[in-house]
């Protein structure tokens, strides 16, 4: 796995964990702010977050609602909660136990 792929897998895990912490849903803008607060800044913009949200939706980890054609709201699924906790492995999502 390349560094870029590993970084994206880590960011997808972090998005799922942030959704769990925040009651299960958040807007794309709120997720950018939260990701930056935990040190994820380089290359992290609205387009990157939306791409990762779509990838997580394709993996059945969350659902997406587009509000007024401008705001993307993500809601975590049970599958996503299990991936965030490390109870299941999801391709393209880093395990929270990796490297322990």
């Amino acid at each position: 796995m390349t560094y870029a792929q590993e970084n994206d897998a880590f960011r997808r895990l972090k998005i799922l964990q942030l959704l769990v912490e925040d009651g299960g849903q958040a807007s794309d803008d709120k997720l950018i702010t939260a990701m930056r607060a935990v040190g994820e800044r380089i290359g992290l913009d609205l387009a990157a977050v939306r791409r990762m949200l779509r990838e997580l939706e394709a993996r059945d980890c969350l659902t997406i609602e587009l509000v007024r054609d401008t705001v993307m709201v993500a809601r975590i699924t049970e599958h996503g909660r299990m991936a965030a906790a490390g109870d299941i492995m999801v391709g393209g999502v880093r395990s929270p136990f990796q490297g322990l």
Side-chain angles (χ1 to χ4, degrees), residues 62-84:
L62 53 83
T63 60
I64 296 172
E65 178 185 357
L66 195 58
V67 179
R68 294 187 182 162
D69 294 327
T70 57
V71 178
M72 192 177 276
V73 177
R75 288 182 182 83
I76 196 163
T77 63
E78 186 58 29
H79 193 75
R81 286 182 192 280
M82 292 173 70

Side-chain angles (χ1 to χ4, degrees), residues 34-83:
M35 293 286 285
R36 288 181 177 159
V38 297
E40 293 296 316
R41 290 190 169 89
I42 298 173
L44 190 71
D45 58 11
L46 184 62
V49 168
R50 286 185 168 191
R51 176 182 52 80
M52 286 184 279
L53 292 177
R54 286 186 192 100
E55 291 166 352
L56 286 165
E57 182 181 45
R59 291 169 170 86
D60 193 33
C61 291
L62 53 83
T63 60
I64 296 172
E65 178 185 357
L66 195 58
V67 179
R68 294 187 182 162
D69 294 327
T70 57
V71 178
M72 192 177 276
V73 177
R75 288 182 182 83
I76 196 163
T77 63
E78 186 58 29
H79 193 75
R81 286 182 192 280
M82 292 173 70

Side-chain angles (χ1 to χ4, degrees), residues 1 4 8 11 18 24 35 41 43 59-60 70 86 90 93-94:
M1 187 178 289
D8 282 349
R11 285 180 168 181
L18 288 167
M35 293 286 285
R41 290 190 169 89
R59 291 169 170 86
D60 193 33
T70 57
V90 174
V93 178
R94 185 174 190 232

